[in-house]
Amino acid sequence: MTALEFTNHIGKVSKSLRPFALRLTKDVEDANDLLQDTLLKAFTNRDKYTDGTNLKAWLYTIMKNTFITNYQRMVRKNTFIDTTDNLHYINSIESSTENLAYSSFAQDDINRAVNGLDDTYKTPFMMHFRGFKYHEIAAKLNIPIGTVKNRIHIARKELKDQLKVYAYFNA
C-alpha cells in the first residue's frame, strides 16, 4: 500500500476514532490529543501495518495502548514518595482532612430527586438499587418483567435528567 493510499484509508477511519477517544478520556481536549498521538503513531509505524489487516482495529489498538501508557505515566508522575523517617504519620487518619461539603450537597440532591420520582417508578428502581433481580421485583410487585425493566429505565432517565449538573463534575 502506498503512503497516499494509507493516508486516504486513515482519513476515512479516523472519524470513528474520535468517539472512542472521548469515551476513554472523558475530556474533549484530551480526546483530541489522544487522537493526534494515535494518528502520529500510525503514520510513524506505517511499515508495521500489513495489507489485509483491519485498519480500524489496528488504529483502535494503537489508541487504547497509547491511552493506557499515558495513564500509567500520569499515575507514576503523581505518585508521592515518602522520604520521612516516620512512615506511619503520613498514612495516618489524624493527618488527613476531607471536605464533605460537596458530597453532602450531592447526596441531598440525589435523595430529593429519588423521592420526587412517582412511586410507580421509584419502587422498582429502589428495589433494583438494593440488589433485587428483575425477576424478583416482578414477582414481588406482581407485574411483568418487561414492565419492571421499563420502569427502572424511565426512573434512571428521569434521575439522569434531574442530576445532569453532576455529570460534568464526574466526567
Side-chain angles (χ1 to χ4, degrees):
M1 177 181 298
T2 66
L4 187 59
E5 290 173 329
F6 185 75
T7 304
N8 189 23
H9 286 301
I10 283 188
K12 291 176 185 175
V13 175
S14 67
K15 290 173 182 56
S16 66
L17 292 172
R18 187 173 306 278
F20 184 60
L22 195 57
R23 200 169 339 134
L24 287 172
T25 62
K26 296 182 178 31
D27 180 67
V28 174
E29 294 301 319
D30 290 341
N32 289 336
D33 291 343
L34 179 61
L35 181 61
Q36 186 176 13
D37 288 346
T38 301
L39 295 177
L40 179 64
K41 286 182 181 181
F43 285 119
T44 306
N45 296 300
R46 182 174 67 88
D47 57 318
K48 295 178 183 166
Y49 176 76
T50 55
D51 284 337
T53 305
N54 184 344
L55 179 64
K56 193 173 186 179
W58 189 67
L59 291 170
Y60 273 84
T61 302
I62 292 172
M63 180 175 282
K64 180 186 67 143
N65 291 340
T66 303
F67 173 75
I68 291 169
T69 303
N70 290 343
Y71 179 78
Q72 289 171 339
R73 187 178 298 134
M74 181 190 67
V75 167
R76 277 193 305 269
K77 187 176 98 178
N78 291 333
T79 301
F80 178 76
I81 299 174
D82 182 10
T83 57
T84 62
D85 293 332
N86 185 356
L87 299 177
H88 300 288
Y89 181 72
I90 284 185
N91 297 323
S92 69
I93 294 175
E94 295 86 33
S95 67
S96 66
T97 60
E98 191 173 337
N99 184 350
L100 299 175
Y102 174 76
S103 62
S104 67
F105 284 127
Q107 189 62 48
D108 290 346
D109 288 347
I110 292 168
N111 289 338
R112 196 173 308 113
V114 169
N115 290 331
L117 288 173
D118 187 83
D119 285 339
T120 307
Y121 305 112
K122 181 170 67 171
T123 303
F125 174 79
M126 290 307 295
M127 289 177 75
H128 183 65
F129 177 76
R130 291 185 182 114
F132 286 91
K133 305 290 182 206
Y134 291 129
H135 65 87
E136 295 172 329
I137 299 169
K140 181 98 170 153
L141 299 178
N142 198 24
I143 56 177
I145 196 166
T147 304
V148 169
K149 291 179 180 180
N150 186 42
R151 288 180 182 175
I152 291 171
H153 172 75
I154 290 171
R156 284 180 177 159
K157 188 176 174 188
E158 283 187 29
L159 291 173
K160 185 178 176 182
D161 288 343
Q162 291 179 28
L163 301 169
K164 64 183 165 194
V165 67
Y166 293 107
Y168 300 110
F169 293 111
N170 295 323

Short mmCIF file of all heavy atoms in Angstrom, two decimals, residues 71-133:
data_model
loop_
_atom_site.label_atom_id
_atom_site.label_comp_id
_atom_site.label_asym_id
_atom_site.label_seq_id
_atom_site.Cartn_x
_atom_site.Cartn_y
_atom_site.Cartn_z
N TYR A 71 -1.85 7.04 30.73
CA TYR A 71 -2.45 6.97 32.07
C TYR A 71 -1.43 6.46 33.09
O TYR A 71 -1.30 7.02 34.17
CB TYR A 71 -3.68 6.06 32.04
CG TYR A 71 -4.33 5.92 33.39
CD1 TYR A 71 -5.15 6.93 33.88
CD2 TYR A 71 -4.11 4.80 34.18
CE1 TYR A 71 -5.75 6.82 35.12
CE2 TYR A 71 -4.70 4.69 35.42
CZ TYR A 71 -5.52 5.70 35.88
OH TYR A 71 -6.09 5.60 37.12
N GLN A 72 -0.71 5.41 32.73
CA GLN A 72 0.29 4.87 33.66
C GLN A 72 1.39 5.88 33.92
O GLN A 72 1.87 6.00 35.05
CB GLN A 72 0.88 3.57 33.09
CG GLN A 72 -0.10 2.43 33.10
CD GLN A 72 0.40 1.22 32.34
OE1 GLN A 72 1.29 1.33 31.49
NE2 GLN A 72 -0.17 0.06 32.63
N ARG A 73 1.79 6.62 32.90
CA ARG A 73 2.81 7.66 33.07
C ARG A 73 2.30 8.74 34.03
O ARG A 73 3.05 9.21 34.90
CB ARG A 73 3.15 8.26 31.71
CG ARG A 73 4.31 9.22 31.75
CD ARG A 73 4.65 9.76 30.37
NE ARG A 73 5.06 8.66 29.50
CZ ARG A 73 4.62 8.50 28.24
NH1 ARG A 73 3.77 9.36 27.72
NH2 ARG A 73 5.03 7.49 27.51
N MET A 74 1.03 9.13 33.89
CA MET A 74 0.47 10.16 34.76
C MET A 74 0.39 9.67 36.20
O MET A 74 0.71 10.41 37.13
CB MET A 74 -0.94 10.54 34.27
CG MET A 74 -1.59 11.62 35.11
SD MET A 74 -3.33 11.85 34.71
CE MET A 74 -4.02 10.31 35.27
N VAL A 75 0.01 8.41 36.40
CA VAL A 75 -0.09 7.86 37.74
C VAL A 75 1.29 7.83 38.39
O VAL A 75 1.45 8.19 39.56
CB VAL A 75 -0.73 6.45 37.72
CG1 VAL A 75 -0.56 5.75 39.04
CG2 VAL A 75 -2.20 6.56 37.36
N ARG A 76 2.30 7.39 37.62
CA ARG A 76 3.66 7.36 38.18
C ARG A 76 4.14 8.76 38.52
O ARG A 76 4.81 8.96 39.53
CB ARG A 76 4.62 6.72 37.18
CG ARG A 76 4.63 5.23 37.22
CD ARG A 76 5.81 4.66 36.45
NE ARG A 76 5.90 5.13 35.09
CZ ARG A 76 5.36 4.53 34.03
NH1 ARG A 76 4.64 3.44 34.19
NH2 ARG A 76 5.51 5.04 32.82
N LYS A 77 3.81 9.73 37.68
CA LYS A 77 4.24 11.11 37.91
C LYS A 77 3.60 11.68 39.18
O LYS A 77 4.22 12.44 39.90
CB LYS A 77 3.87 11.97 36.71
CG LYS A 77 4.43 13.37 36.77
CD LYS A 77 4.11 14.13 35.50
CE LYS A 77 2.89 14.95 35.77
NZ LYS A 77 2.46 15.77 34.68
N ASN A 78 2.35 11.28 39.45
CA ASN A 78 1.64 11.82 40.60
C ASN A 78 1.80 10.98 41.86
O ASN A 78 1.18 11.26 42.87
CB ASN A 78 0.14 11.95 40.28
CG ASN A 78 -0.11 13.04 39.26
OD1 ASN A 78 0.66 13.99 39.17
ND2 ASN A 78 -1.16 12.89 38.50
N THR A 79 2.63 9.95 41.81
CA THR A 79 2.85 9.11 42.98
C THR A 79 3.75 9.85 43.95
O THR A 79 4.81 10.34 43.59
CB THR A 79 3.49 7.77 42.58
OG1 THR A 79 2.63 7.12 41.67
CG2 THR A 79 3.74 6.90 43.78
N PHE A 80 3.32 9.90 45.20
CA PHE A 80 4.07 10.57 46.25
C PHE A 80 5.00 9.57 46.90
O PHE A 80 4.57 8.50 47.33
CB PHE A 80 3.09 11.16 47.29
CG PHE A 80 3.79 11.82 48.43
CD1 PHE A 80 4.35 13.08 48.27
CD2 PHE A 80 3.90 11.19 49.65
CE1 PHE A 80 5.01 13.69 49.33
CE2 PHE A 80 4.53 11.80 50.70
CZ PHE A 80 5.10 13.05 50.54
N ILE A 81 6.25 9.89 46.96
CA ILE A 81 7.23 9.01 47.60
C ILE A 81 7.57 9.61 48.95
O ILE A 81 8.06 10.74 49.05
CB ILE A 81 8.49 8.85 46.73
CG1 ILE A 81 8.10 8.23 45.40
CG2 ILE A 81 9.55 8.03 47.45
CD1 ILE A 81 9.19 8.16 44.39
N ASP A 82 7.31 8.84 49.97
CA ASP A 82 7.52 9.28 51.34
C ASP A 82 8.98 9.08 51.72
O ASP A 82 9.48 7.96 51.73
CB ASP A 82 6.61 8.47 52.27
CG ASP A 82 6.72 8.90 53.71
OD1 ASP A 82 7.35 9.94 53.98
OD2 ASP A 82 6.17 8.18 54.56
N THR A 83 9.66 10.18 52.07
CA THR A 83 11.06 10.08 52.48
C THR A 83 11.25 10.41 53.95
O THR A 83 12.37 10.55 54.41
CB THR A 83 11.92 11.04 51.64
OG1 THR A 83 11.42 12.37 51.79
CG2 THR A 83 11.90 10.64 50.17
N THR A 84 10.16 10.51 54.70
CA THR A 84 10.28 10.83 56.12
C THR A 84 10.66 9.59 56.91
O THR A 84 10.48 8.47 56.48
CB THR A 84 8.95 11.38 56.69
OG1 THR A 84 7.96 10.37 56.57
CG2 THR A 84 8.52 12.63 55.96
N ASP A 85 11.19 9.84 58.12
CA ASP A 85 11.56 8.73 59.00
C ASP A 85 10.32 8.06 59.58
O ASP A 85 10.30 6.84 59.76
CB ASP A 85 12.46 9.23 60.14
CG ASP A 85 13.81 9.68 59.61
OD1 ASP A 85 14.24 9.15 58.57
OD2 ASP A 85 14.43 10.55 60.24
N ASN A 86 9.30 8.86 59.89
CA ASN A 86 8.10 8.33 60.50
C ASN A 86 7.11 7.97 59.38
O ASN A 86 6.31 8.79 58.96
CB ASN A 86 7.49 9.36 61.45
CG ASN A 86 6.31 8.80 62.21
OD1 ASN A 86 5.88 7.67 61.97
ND2 ASN A 86 5.78 9.60 63.11
N LEU A 87 7.16 6.76 58.91
CA LEU A 87 6.33 6.35 57.79
C LEU A 87 4.86 6.22 58.15
O LEU A 87 4.01 6.22 57.28
CB LEU A 87 6.83 5.01 57.23
CG LEU A 87 8.25 5.04 56.69
CD1 LEU A 87 8.66 3.65 56.23
CD2 LEU A 87 8.39 6.03 55.56
N HIS A 88 4.57 6.13 59.42
CA HIS A 88 3.18 5.95 59.83
C HIS A 88 2.41 7.27 59.88
O HIS A 88 1.20 7.29 59.79
CB HIS A 88 3.10 5.26 61.19
CG HIS A 88 3.73 3.91 61.18
ND1 HIS A 88 3.15 2.84 60.55
CD2 HIS A 88 4.91 3.47 61.68
CE1 HIS A 88 3.91 1.79 60.68
NE2 HIS A 88 5.01 2.13 61.36
N TYR A 89 3.11 8.39 60.01
CA TYR A 89 2.44 9.67 60.16
C TYR A 89 1.68 10.07 58.91
O TYR A 89 0.52 10.47 58.97
CB TYR A 89 3.44 10.77 60.54
CG TYR A 89 2.78 12.11 60.72
CD1 TYR A 89 1.98 12.36 61.82
CD2 TYR A 89 2.91 13.10 59.77
CE1 TYR A 89 1.34 13.56 61.97
CE2 TYR A 89 2.28 14.31 59.91
CZ TYR A 89 1.50 14.54 61.02
OH TYR A 89 0.87 15.73 61.17
N ILE A 90 2.30 9.96 57.75
CA ILE A 90 1.66 10.41 56.51
C ILE A 90 0.41 9.61 56.21
O ILE A 90 -0.58 10.13 55.74
CB ILE A 90 2.65 10.33 55.34
CG1 ILE A 90 3.62 11.50 55.47
CG2 ILE A 90 1.95 10.38 54.01
CD1 ILE A 90 4.58 11.63 54.34
N ASN A 91 0.43 8.34 56.49
CA ASN A 91 -0.70 7.48 56.17
C ASN A 91 -1.72 7.39 57.29
O ASN A 91 -2.69 6.65 57.18
CB ASN A 91 -0.20 6.08 55.82
CG ASN A 91 0.66 6.11 54.58
OD1 ASN A 91 0.38 6.86 53.66
ND2 ASN A 91 1.71 5.31 54.56
N SER A 92 -1.51 8.13 58.35
CA SER A 92 -2.45 8.04 59.47
C SER A 92 -3.68 8.88 59.21
O SER A 92 -3.66 9.86 58.47
CB SER A 92 -1.77 8.49 60.77
OG SER A 92 -1.53 9.88 60.72
N ILE A 93 -4.75 8.51 59.84
CA ILE A 93 -6.03 9.22 59.68
C ILE A 93 -5.95 10.61 60.30
O ILE A 93 -6.55 11.55 59.81
CB ILE A 93 -7.17 8.39 60.31
CG1 ILE A 93 -7.34 7.10 59.52
CG2 ILE A 93 -8.46 9.18 60.36
CD1 ILE A 93 -8.35 6.15 60.12
N GLU A 94 -5.16 10.76 61.36
CA GLU A 94 -5.06 12.06 62.02
C GLU A 94 -4.47 13.13 61.11
O GLU A 94 -4.74 14.31 61.26
CB GLU A 94 -4.18 11.97 63.28
CG GLU A 94 -4.74 11.09 64.38
CD GLU A 94 -4.36 9.62 64.18
OE1 GLU A 94 -3.27 9.33 63.65
OE2 GLU A 94 -5.18 8.78 64.53
N SER A 95 -3.66 12.73 60.14
CA SER A 95 -3.01 13.71 59.29
C SER A 95 -3.81 14.02 58.02
O SER A 95 -3.37 14.78 57.19
CB SER A 95 -1.61 13.23 58.90
OG SER A 95 -1.72 12.10 58.07
N SER A 96 -4.97 13.41 57.86
CA SER A 96 -5.76 13.65 56.66
C SER A 96 -6.99 14.47 56.98
O SER A 96 -7.55 14.40 58.07
CB SER A 96 -6.17 12.33 56.00
OG SER A 96 -7.05 11.64 56.84
N THR A 97 -7.38 15.26 56.01
CA THR A 97 -8.62 16.04 56.13
C THR A 97 -9.46 15.78 54.90
O THR A 97 -8.94 15.43 53.84
CB THR A 97 -8.33 17.54 56.23
OG1 THR A 97 -7.65 17.95 55.05
CG2 THR A 97 -7.53 17.87 57.46
N GLU A 98 -10.74 15.99 55.05
CA GLU A 98 -11.64 15.74 53.94
C GLU A 98 -12.75 16.78 53.97
O GLU A 98 -13.29 17.09 55.02
CB GLU A 98 -12.23 14.33 54.06
CG GLU A 98 -12.96 13.89 52.85
CD GLU A 98 -13.37 12.42 52.95
OE1 GLU A 98 -12.75 11.67 53.72
OE2 GLU A 98 -14.31 12.06 52.27
N ASN A 99 -13.06 17.32 52.83
CA ASN A 99 -14.13 18.28 52.72
C ASN A 99 -15.37 17.55 52.21
O ASN A 99 -15.43 17.13 51.07
CB ASN A 99 -13.73 19.40 51.75
CG ASN A 99 -14.78 20.49 51.67
OD1 ASN A 99 -15.89 20.33 52.19
ND2 ASN A 99 -14.45 21.58 51.04
N LEU A 100 -16.35 17.41 53.07
CA LEU A 100 -17.55 16.67 52.72
C LEU A 100 -18.69 17.56 52.23
O LEU A 100 -19.79 17.09 52.00
CB LEU A 100 -18.02 15.85 53.92
CG LEU A 100 -17.02 14.81 54.44
CD1 LEU A 100 -17.55 14.15 55.70
CD2 LEU A 100 -16.74 13.77 53.37
N ALA A 101 -18.41 18.85 52.07
CA ALA A 101 -19.48 19.77 51.68
C ALA A 101 -20.07 19.39 50.32
O ALA A 101 -21.28 19.31 50.18
CB ALA A 101 -18.95 21.20 51.63
N TYR A 102 -19.22 19.16 49.34
CA TYR A 102 -19.71 18.82 48.00
C TYR A 102 -20.52 17.54 48.04
O TYR A 102 -21.60 17.45 47.46
CB TYR A 102 -18.54 18.69 47.02
CG TYR A 102 -18.96 18.21 45.67
CD1 TYR A 102 -19.60 19.05 44.78
CD2 TYR A 102 -18.74 16.89 45.28
CE1 TYR A 102 -20.00 18.61 43.54
CE2 TYR A 102 -19.14 16.44 44.05
CZ TYR A 102 -19.77 17.30 43.17
OH TYR A 102 -20.17 16.84 41.96
N SER A 103 -20.01 16.52 48.73
CA SER A 103 -20.71 15.23 48.73
C SER A 103 -22.04 15.32 49.46
O SER A 103 -23.00 14.65 49.07
CB SER A 103 -19.83 14.14 49.34
OG SER A 103 -19.53 14.42 50.68
N SER A 104 -22.13 16.15 50.50
CA SER A 104 -23.42 16.26 51.19
C SER A 104 -24.45 16.99 50.33
O SER A 104 -25.62 16.64 50.32
CB SER A 104 -23.25 16.95 52.55
OG SER A 104 -22.88 18.30 52.40
N PHE A 105 -24.00 18.01 49.57
CA PHE A 105 -24.90 18.68 48.64
C PHE A 105 -25.39 17.70 47.58
O PHE A 105 -26.57 17.64 47.26
CB PHE A 105 -24.23 19.86 47.94
CG PHE A 105 -24.07 21.08 48.80
CD1 PHE A 105 -22.83 21.67 48.94
CD2 PHE A 105 -25.15 21.63 49.46
CE1 PHE A 105 -22.67 22.79 49.73
CE2 PHE A 105 -25.01 22.76 50.25
CZ PHE A 105 -23.75 23.34 50.38
N ALA A 106 -24.47 16.94 47.04
CA ALA A 106 -24.82 15.97 46.00
C ALA A 106 -25.78 14.92 46.55
O ALA A 106 -26.76 14.57 45.89
CB ALA A 106 -23.56 15.31 45.44
N GLN A 107 -25.50 14.42 47.73
CA GLN A 107 -26.36 13.40 48.33
C GLN A 107 -27.76 13.95 48.58
O GLN A 107 -28.75 13.26 48.34
CB GLN A 107 -25.74 12.87 49.63
CG GLN A 107 -26.47 11.67 50.19
CD GLN A 107 -26.44 10.48 49.24
OE1 GLN A 107 -25.40 10.12 48.74
NE2 GLN A 107 -27.58 9.89 48.99
N ASP A 108 -27.84 15.19 49.04
CA ASP A 108 -29.15 15.81 49.24
C ASP A 108 -29.92 15.91 47.92
O ASP A 108 -31.12 15.63 47.87
CB ASP A 108 -29.00 17.21 49.86
CG ASP A 108 -28.53 17.16 51.31
OD1 ASP A 108 -28.58 16.07 51.92
OD2 ASP A 108 -28.09 18.21 51.82
N ASP A 109 -29.22 16.32 46.87
CA ASP A 109 -29.87 16.44 45.56
C ASP A 109 -30.31 15.08 45.04
O ASP A 109 -31.39 14.94 44.47
CB ASP A 109 -28.93 17.09 44.55
CG ASP A 109 -28.75 18.58 44.81
OD1 ASP A 109 -29.53 19.15 45.60
OD2 ASP A 109 -27.83 19.18 44.22
N ILE A 110 -29.49 14.07 45.25
CA ILE A 110 -29.85 12.72 44.80
C ILE A 110 -31.07 12.22 45.56
O ILE A 110 -32.02 11.70 44.97
CB ILE A 110 -28.67 11.74 44.99
CG1 ILE A 110 -27.55 12.10 44.02
CG2 ILE A 110 -29.11 10.30 44.80
CD1 ILE A 110 -26.23 11.40 44.30
N ASN A 111 -31.07 12.39 46.88
CA ASN A 111 -32.23 11.96 47.69
C ASN A 111 -33.49 12.69 47.26
O ASN A 111 -34.57 12.09 47.16
CB ASN A 111 -31.96 12.18 49.17
CG ASN A 111 -30.92 11.22 49.72
OD1 ASN A 111 -30.69 10.16 49.17
ND2 ASN A 111 -30.29 11.61 50.81
N ARG A 112 -33.37 13.99 47.02
CA ARG A 112 -34.53 14.78 46.61
C ARG A 112 -35.05 14.29 45.25
O ARG A 112 -36.25 14.16 45.05
CB ARG A 112 -34.13 16.26 46.53
CG ARG A 112 -35.30 17.20 46.49
CD ARG A 112 -34.89 18.69 46.59
NE ARG A 112 -34.03 18.96 47.73
CZ ARG A 112 -32.74 19.33 47.64
NH1 ARG A 112 -32.17 19.51 46.49
NH2 ARG A 112 -32.03 19.55 48.73
N ALA A 113 -34.14 13.99 44.33
CA ALA A 113 -34.54 13.52 43.00
C ALA A 113 -35.22 12.15 43.08
O ALA A 113 -36.24 11.92 42.45
CB ALA A 113 -33.33 13.46 42.07
N VAL A 114 -34.65 11.25 43.88
CA VAL A 114 -35.24 9.92 44.02
C VAL A 114 -36.61 10.02 44.68
O VAL A 114 -37.57 9.38 44.25
CB VAL A 114 -34.31 8.97 44.81
CG1 VAL A 114 -35.02 7.68 45.19
CG2 VAL A 114 -33.06 8.67 44.00
N ASN A 115 -36.71 10.82 45.74
CA ASN A 115 -38.00 10.97 46.43
C ASN A 115 -39.04 11.66 45.55
O ASN A 115 -40.23 11.49 45.76
CB ASN A 115 -37.82 11.73 47.74
CG ASN A 115 -37.08 10.90 48.77
OD1 ASN A 115 -37.15 9.68 48.76
ND2 ASN A 115 -36.34 11.56 49.65
N GLY A 116 -38.58 12.43 44.57
CA GLY A 116 -39.50 13.12 43.67
C GLY A 116 -40.06 12.22 42.57
O GLY A 116 -40.98 12.60 41.86
N LEU A 117 -39.49 11.02 42.43
CA LEU A 117 -40.00 10.09 41.43
C LEU A 117 -41.39 9.60 41.80
O LEU A 117 -41.71 9.45 42.98
CB LEU A 117 -39.09 8.86 41.31
CG LEU A 117 -37.73 9.03 40.66
CD1 LEU A 117 -36.91 7.75 40.81
CD2 LEU A 117 -37.88 9.38 39.20
N ASP A 118 -42.20 9.35 40.82
CA ASP A 118 -43.50 8.74 41.04
C ASP A 118 -43.28 7.34 41.62
O ASP A 118 -42.35 6.64 41.23
CB ASP A 118 -44.24 8.65 39.70
CG ASP A 118 -45.66 8.19 39.86
OD1 ASP A 118 -46.53 9.03 40.17
OD2 ASP A 118 -45.89 6.97 39.69
N ASP A 119 -44.12 6.93 42.56
CA ASP A 119 -43.95 5.63 43.22
C ASP A 119 -43.95 4.47 42.24
O ASP A 119 -43.32 3.44 42.47
CB ASP A 119 -45.06 5.40 44.27
CG ASP A 119 -44.82 6.22 45.52
OD1 ASP A 119 -43.66 6.63 45.76
OD2 ASP A 119 -45.79 6.44 46.28
N THR A 120 -44.63 4.63 41.11
CA THR A 120 -44.66 3.59 40.08
C THR A 120 -43.24 3.27 39.60
O THR A 120 -42.93 2.11 39.32
CB THR A 120 -45.50 4.07 38.89
OG1 THR A 120 -46.78 4.49 39.35
CG2 THR A 120 -45.66 2.99 37.85
N TYR A 121 -42.39 4.29 39.53
CA TYR A 121 -41.02 4.11 39.05
C TYR A 121 -40.04 3.96 40.22
O TYR A 121 -39.05 3.24 40.12
CB TYR A 121 -40.60 5.29 38.18
CG TYR A 121 -41.56 5.52 37.03
CD1 TYR A 121 -42.36 6.65 36.98
CD2 TYR A 121 -41.67 4.58 36.01
CE1 TYR A 121 -43.24 6.85 35.93
CE2 TYR A 121 -42.56 4.77 34.97
CZ TYR A 121 -43.34 5.90 34.93
OH TYR A 121 -44.21 6.09 33.90
N LYS A 122 -40.32 4.68 41.31
CA LYS A 122 -39.39 4.67 42.43
C LYS A 122 -39.28 3.30 43.08
O LYS A 122 -38.18 2.84 43.41
CB LYS A 122 -39.80 5.72 43.47
CG LYS A 122 -38.85 5.78 44.67
CD LYS A 122 -39.10 6.96 45.58
CE LYS A 122 -40.40 6.86 46.29
NZ LYS A 122 -40.56 7.88 47.33
N THR A 123 -40.39 2.61 43.27
CA THR A 123 -40.38 1.32 43.96
C THR A 123 -39.52 0.30 43.24
O THR A 123 -38.59 -0.27 43.84
CB THR A 123 -41.81 0.81 44.17
OG1 THR A 123 -42.56 1.80 44.88
CG2 THR A 123 -41.82 -0.50 44.93
N PRO A 124 -39.73 0.03 41.94
CA PRO A 124 -38.84 -0.94 41.27
C PRO A 124 -37.39 -0.47 41.19
O PRO A 124 -36.47 -1.26 41.32
CB PRO A 124 -39.44 -1.10 39.88
CG PRO A 124 -40.59 -0.20 39.77
CD PRO A 124 -40.81 0.47 41.07
N PHE A 125 -37.20 0.84 41.01
CA PHE A 125 -35.84 1.37 40.94
C PHE A 125 -35.10 1.14 42.25
O PHE A 125 -33.95 0.68 42.26
CB PHE A 125 -35.87 2.87 40.61
CG PHE A 125 -34.51 3.51 40.66
CD1 PHE A 125 -33.63 3.36 39.61
CD2 PHE A 125 -34.12 4.25 41.77
CE1 PHE A 125 -32.36 3.93 39.66
CE2 PHE A 125 -32.86 4.82 41.83
CZ PHE A 125 -31.98 4.66 40.77
N MET A 126 -35.73 1.46 43.37
CA MET A 126 -35.07 1.29 44.67
C MET A 126 -34.84 -0.19 44.99
O MET A 126 -33.83 -0.54 45.59
CB MET A 126 -35.89 1.97 45.78
CG MET A 126 -35.88 3.49 45.71
SD MET A 126 -34.22 4.20 45.64
CE MET A 126 -33.58 3.73 47.23
N MET A 127 -35.77 -1.05 44.57
CA MET A 127 -35.56 -2.49 44.80
C MET A 127 -34.35 -2.97 43.99
O MET A 127 -33.51 -3.71 44.51
CB MET A 127 -36.82 -3.27 44.42
CG MET A 127 -37.98 -3.07 45.38
SD MET A 127 -39.47 -3.93 44.86
CE MET A 127 -39.03 -5.62 45.26
N HIS A 128 -34.25 -2.51 42.75
CA HIS A 128 -33.11 -2.89 41.92
C HIS A 128 -31.82 -2.32 42.51
O HIS A 128 -30.78 -2.98 42.53
CB HIS A 128 -33.32 -2.39 40.49
CG HIS A 128 -32.25 -2.80 39.54
ND1 HIS A 128 -32.01 -4.11 39.20
CD2 HIS A 128 -31.33 -2.07 38.87
CE1 HIS A 128 -31.00 -4.17 38.36
NE2 HIS A 128 -30.57 -2.94 38.14
N PHE A 129 -31.88 -1.09 42.99
CA PHE A 129 -30.73 -0.44 43.60
C PHE A 129 -30.26 -1.21 44.83
O PHE A 129 -29.06 -1.32 45.10
CB PHE A 129 -31.09 1.01 43.98
CG PHE A 129 -29.99 1.75 44.68
CD1 PHE A 129 -28.91 2.23 43.96
CD2 PHE A 129 -30.04 1.97 46.05
CE1 PHE A 129 -27.89 2.92 44.60
CE2 PHE A 129 -29.02 2.65 46.69
CZ PHE A 129 -27.96 3.13 45.96
N ARG A 130 -31.19 -1.77 45.57
CA ARG A 130 -30.85 -2.54 46.77
C ARG A 130 -30.37 -3.96 46.47
O ARG A 130 -30.03 -4.70 47.38
CB ARG A 130 -32.04 -2.57 47.72
CG ARG A 130 -32.33 -1.22 48.33
CD ARG A 130 -33.43 -1.26 49.37
NE ARG A 130 -33.67 0.07 49.88
CZ ARG A 130 -34.78 0.75 49.70
NH1 ARG A 130 -35.79 0.21 49.01
NH2 ARG A 130 -34.92 1.96 50.19
N GLY A 131 -30.39 -4.33 45.19
CA GLY A 131 -29.82 -5.61 44.81
C GLY A 131 -30.79 -6.67 44.34
O GLY A 131 -30.38 -7.78 44.01
N PHE A 132 -32.08 -6.37 44.31
CA PHE A 132 -33.05 -7.34 43.82
C PHE A 132 -32.85 -7.54 42.32
O PHE A 132 -32.55 -6.59 41.59
CB PHE A 132 -34.49 -6.87 44.08
CG PHE A 132 -34.91 -6.97 45.51
CD1 PHE A 132 -34.72 -5.89 46.38
CD2 PHE A 132 -35.51 -8.12 46.00
CE1 PHE A 132 -35.11 -5.97 47.70
CE2 PHE A 132 -35.91 -8.20 47.32
CZ PHE A 132 -35.71 -7.13 48.17
N LYS A 133 -33.05 -8.74 41.84
CA LYS A 133 -33.00 -9.06 40.42
C LYS A 133 -34.35 -8.69 39.79
O LYS A 133 -35.36 -8.59 40.47
CB LYS A 133 -32.72 -10.55 40.20
CG LYS A 133 -31.47 -11.04 40.88
CD LYS A 133 -30.25 -10.47 40.23
CE LYS A 133 -29.00 -11.01 40.89
NZ LYS A 133 -27.88 -10.16 40.78
#
